[in-house]
Amino acid sequence: MENIIVLNVNYKFGDMEGTIHPVVLRDKNEMILVDCGYTGFMSIIEDAMRTENLDCNKLTKIVITHHDHDHMGALADFKHKYPDVKIVASEIEAPYISGEKKSLRLEQAESLQSTLNEEQKQFGRAFCDILKSVKTVEVDEFVHDGEVMNWCGGCEIVGTPGHTPGHISLYIKNKKTLITGDAAALENNQLVIANPQFTLDVENANKSISKILDYDADTYICYHGGVYKKHKHKANLC
């Protein structure tokens, strides 16, 4: 039994509404959640997993593609409720997830405050407060670009820096499936850079999206946008 389950998590977070797509990798030994939503999202993700007949008590690992608050906001709650779950991330992202280093997204948001008008500054301060409220969690296992894990029949760690310096994606070769995190988003049936205004290194982000498109993958699962089937949209990849 080797399964890839895409969760459809509808949400309202502050003034924002949308859907995110955490992914579950399941085989006879592991049940792994890839990314876990905003702060306070644990119960929503648990509900989404129950809809797919998945029991969170069987979670073995949570992989965090990068340290943005919409990907790791609920991580501390998961770790508290399911203390045996191992937290996995790249060695570059780990210090931000653990709180050893200050969030780069927070640094970016704070540096932008001086460029905003008074109305925008109010929103900017609120956004900074949201980022500051994210609880940090120690990372149990570091993974590296090109490393192949035995998850779901073989899962390659794909280094995809740009959105953040240590961002990772996951490639499941036997399923020809690539989990992009924020290395790519799906918009209008095309794979694009996720949130360019929040991308810390656009040049590397462009290299990373080209890198993942070179993989022998038929399916790309985007945290923002959902499932992209390459063979159905070949014209959009030019």
Side-chain angles (χ1 to χ4, degrees):
M1 179 188 69
E2 295 169 357
N3 300 111
I4 301 170
I5 301 100
V6 182
L7 304 180
N8 301 305
V9 179
N10 299 314
Y11 70 88
K12 183 172 182 181
F13 187 77
D15 294 330
M16 298 184 298
E17 292 186 30
T19 305
I20 55 172
H21 302 278
V23 179
V24 176
L25 303 178
R26 184 176 62 170
D27 58 32
K28 64 180 181 180
N29 297 314
E30 302 262 21
M31 190 166 79
I32 300 168
L33 176 63
V34 183
D35 291 329
C36 61
Y38 294 89
T39 300
F41 270 41
M42 182 178 70
S43 62
I44 302 173
I45 291 175
E46 287 175 322
D47 288 344
M49 290 179 68
R50 277 192 286 269
T51 298
E52 299 291 340
N53 296 314
L54 299 171
D55 180 2
C56 274
N57 289 293
K58 296 181 179 179
L59 273 176
T60 56
K61 293 180 175 70
I62 299 177
V63 176
I64 300 297
T65 59
H66 65 295
H67 70 279
D68 275 341
H69 69 301
D70 56 331
H71 292 254
M72 66 160 284
L75 185 60
D77 289 339
F78 272 100
K79 186 65 175 179
H80 179 75
K81 185 171 180 179
Y82 308 102
D84 293 333
V85 170
K86 301 299 181 186
I87 311 303
V88 181
S90 75
E91 196 164 6
I92 297 171
E93 292 291 306
Y96 304 107
I97 296 168
S98 70
E100 182 183 339
K101 291 183 178 180
K102 185 177 180 178
S103 161
L104 293 175
R105 190 66 63 214
L106 177 58
E107 287 187 357
Q108 181 191 41
E110 289 177 337
S111 70
L112 287 173
Q113 279 294 96
S114 62
T115 70
L116 304 178
N117 61 39
E118 286 305 312
E119 184 178 349
Q120 292 170 328
K121 281 182 179 178
Q122 184 176 354
F123 173 83
R125 285 191 293 269
F127 183 55
C128 288
D129 288 342
I130 288 170
L131 296 177
K132 289 175 184 176
S133 72
V134 175
K135 294 180 181 178
T136 56
V137 180
E138 289 296 320
V139 175
D140 300 300
E141 183 178 352
F142 302 148
V143 291
H144 305 87
D145 180 39
E147 187 174 4
V148 178
M149 318 304 289
N150 62 358
W151 312 331
C152 210
C155 176
E156 180 183 341
I157 306 301
V158 185
T160 45
H163 191 74
T164 62
H167 189 289
I168 58 171
S169 302
L170 306 176
Y171 174 58
I172 298 88
K173 184 176 181 179
N174 67 352
K175 303 288 187 180
K176 290 191 174 184
T177 295
L178 205 146
I179 301 167
T180 71
D182 276 0
L186 181 58
E187 295 181 5
N188 299 317
N189 291 324
Q190 295 188 53
L191 294 180
V192 298
I193 292 175
N195 296 319
Q197 69 273 29
F198 292 122
T199 296
L200 298 177
D201 185 332
V202 173
E203 182 179 355
N204 266 331
N206 279 314
K207 290 178 181 177
S208 289
I209 199 168
S210 295
K211 178 180 180 178
I212 62 175
L213 286 173
D214 282 340
Y215 271 76
D216 182 20
D218 294 330
T219 301
Y220 290 78
I221 303 169
C222 301
Y223 194 73
H224 301 286
V227 177
Y228 174 93
K229 295 288 187 180
K230 183 188 264 188
H231 68 280
K232 290 184 179 180
H233 304 100
K234 285 184 179 179
N236 295 327
L237 295 176
C238 298

